[in-house]
Amino acid sequence: QVQLVESGGGLVQTGGSLRLSCAASIRTLSMYDMGWFRQGPGKEREFVAAVRWSSGRAYYADSVKGRFTISGDNPKKTMYLHMSSLKPEDTGVYYCAARNYGGTFSYRVDEEYDSWGQGTQVTVSS
């Protein structure tokens, strides 16, 4: 299993920006598919964004499309989630997840991933 450590969460005002980081104990990003999920207060965990590094293809939930962007730094083995135009409904614990690359990537499904980080709290004040 891969060890994942998120960081970068915090308190931000509506319209602000944050960058989340997910450091992974892996040899190279291209061997993995990775994603971001979040769980808001009283809500179920939901898909936010995902990436198949081997193709560079990224996927986003409709609620964050145009506001959030995934990027990666392979030498640092780190995935980032750049979040802008933040809204109060973006508040929650953000988790990164990973799975070995291969086959069909059902990126919205949390059971697809076999490694998870501990989460980082994002709070957007109105």
Side-chain angles (χ1 to χ4, degrees), residues 14 21 26 46 54 70 80 83 91 93 98 102-105 113 116:
T14 296
S21 301
I26 57 178
E46 64 175 358
S54 60
I70 279 184
Y80 301 100
M83 306 187 296
T91 293
V93 179
T104 302
F105 183 25
Y113 302 86
W116 290 83

Side-chain angles (χ1 to χ4, degrees), residues 4 7 11 20 23-24 31 33-34 39 57 65 70 76 79-80 87 90 101 105 107-108 114 122:
L4 301 171
S7 61
L11 174 64
L20 305 184
M31 296 294 290
D33 300 321
M34 297 179 75
Q39 187 166 18
R57 181 81 184 270
K65 211 170 282 185
I70 279 184
K76 294 184 178 179
M79 173 176 67
Y80 301 100
K87 306 174 182 180
D90 294 318
Y101 164 78
F105 183 25
Y107 49 86
R108 296 179 182 274
D114 47 33
V122 172

Side-chain angles (χ1 to χ4, degrees), residues 98-100 102 104-114:
R99 51 159 269 178
N100 288 315
T104 302
F105 183 25
S106 298
Y107 49 86
R108 296 179 182 274
V109 179
D110 51 8
E111 289 88 354
E112 274 287 287
Y113 302 86
D114 47 33

Side-chain angles (χ1 to χ4, degrees), residues 9-30:
L11 174 64
V12 64
Q13 290 187 333
T14 296
S17 300
L18 279 175
R19 187 185 74 169
L20 305 184
S21 301
C22 173
S25 63
I26 57 178
R27 291 179 60 187
T28 177
L29 291 176
S30 61

